[in-house]
Amino acid sequence: MNILDKIIFDKQREVVLKKSIIPVSQLESSVFFGRETISLSQKLRTSSTGIIAEHKRRSPSKSVINHSFTVEEVVKGYENAGACGISVLTDGKYFGGSLDDLLLARASVNIPLLRKEFIVDEYQILEAKAFGADLILLIAAVLTREEIKSLSEFAKKLGLEVLLEVHNQEELEKSIMPTLDMIGVNNRNLKTFEVSLDFSKQLASQIPDDFVKVSESGISSIEAISELRPYGYSGFLIGENFMKTDNAGKAATEFIKSL
């Protein structure tokens, strides 16, 4: 069993437990559930920078990245830096995140928030809406085409946008459908942690222009973005590069100013 299989195994058990504790009706009564969401895809189409900055405390590949910031400090720093949107990790066991992080981020900023999670069930999409997200991530490596279709349709009914993440041609070919808003290419192989911008470059021409193209992970320099833009990418998800510094907001500000 690789790390991705372990994460999904744990996630499925976690969702069953959470369903037994918090009913859907409680999620639907959240103050954020009826909130009108903000479109990240529209922001990326008109942005000159395209940065989606990430709040991430740790990861299976890097262990601890940074535990010293508050959520409010990080996300306000990102908003002030001019980020188009913010990705908030909510997985607890492997990434040190939580739904409370998403809630605190929503209370702190007014830009699009991505719930970055290993989504395997509609219940998690209801959670995303209830805790203030504007969009969700679906990972093609752990979902069938039928699951991607049903989960993305469910998200759209709730007014949430969908970022579909792929890593290779097979995942891309099975996933393309009209209920997606953005297609992200993860430059990190989730099964081996190998990182290369070549993954984004190789798949770019096969992503239809209907979708906003996002390159994720392994982006640590202005040069990397300059390399990716000619391939049609207008969104760039960056986490560790900002979070590993002493001041994530300041690092994002300096990075975005240099673009």
Side-chain angles (χ1 to χ4, degrees), residues 198-250:
D198 288 343
F199 294 122
S200 282
K201 295 175 184 175
Q202 289 163 3
L203 290 178
S205 65
Q206 297 169 62
I207 301 174
D209 291 337
D210 299 345
F211 304 103
V212 175
K213 297 178 189 175
V214 178
S215 186
E216 309 171 17
S217 301
I219 300 170
S220 57
S221 67
I222 303 298
E223 290 73 23
I225 290 180
S226 299
E227 274 186 53
L228 292 166
R229 276 188 170 147
Y231 290 86
Y233 288 95
S234 54
F236 308 93
L237 196 153
I238 302 177
E240 188 184 318
N241 195 49
F242 300 146
M243 289 296 293
K244 70 183 181 184
T245 68
D246 293 333
N247 187 327
K250 183 181 177 185

Side-chain angles (χ1 to χ4, degrees), residues 108-222:
S108 303
V109 298
N110 193 35
I111 59 176
L113 295 180
L114 164 68
R115 181 188 186 188
K116 196 168 188 189
E117 179 57 86
F118 297 87
I119 289 181
V120 294
D121 192 289
E122 288 182 357
Y123 182 85
Q124 296 165 287
I125 302 175
L126 290 165
E127 287 181 324
K129 180 71 172 174
F131 283 77
D134 297 288
L135 65 152
I136 60 159
L137 178 76
L138 296 179
I139 302 173
V142 300
L143 299 168
T144 65
R145 178 174 174 81
E146 289 70 29
E147 289 169 333
I148 293 168
K149 184 174 186 296
S150 64
L151 291 171
S152 59
E153 286 176 348
F154 188 73
K156 301 297 281 186
K157 285 179 186 172
L158 295 178
L160 297 166
E161 287 195 322
V162 179
L163 170 62
L164 186 284
E165 177 181 296
V166 301
H167 181 68
N168 56 43
Q169 185 169 348
E170 180 184 358
E171 290 174 7
L172 178 63
E173 288 177 350
K174 80 171 183 183
S175 303
I176 292 175
M177 58 186 73
T179 44
L180 309 176
D181 300 282
M182 293 154 277
I183 293 183
V185 178
N186 194 342
N187 296 310
R188 175 177 288 114
N189 184 330
L190 294 175
K191 297 174 183 175
T192 64
F193 297 136
E194 176 193 4
V195 178
S196 172
L197 297 183
D198 288 343
F199 294 122
S200 282
K201 295 175 184 175
Q202 289 163 3
L203 290 178
S205 65
Q206 297 169 62
I207 301 174
D209 291 337
D210 299 345
F211 304 103
V212 175
K213 297 178 189 175
V214 178
S215 186
E216 309 171 17
S217 301
I219 300 170
S220 57
S221 67
I222 303 298

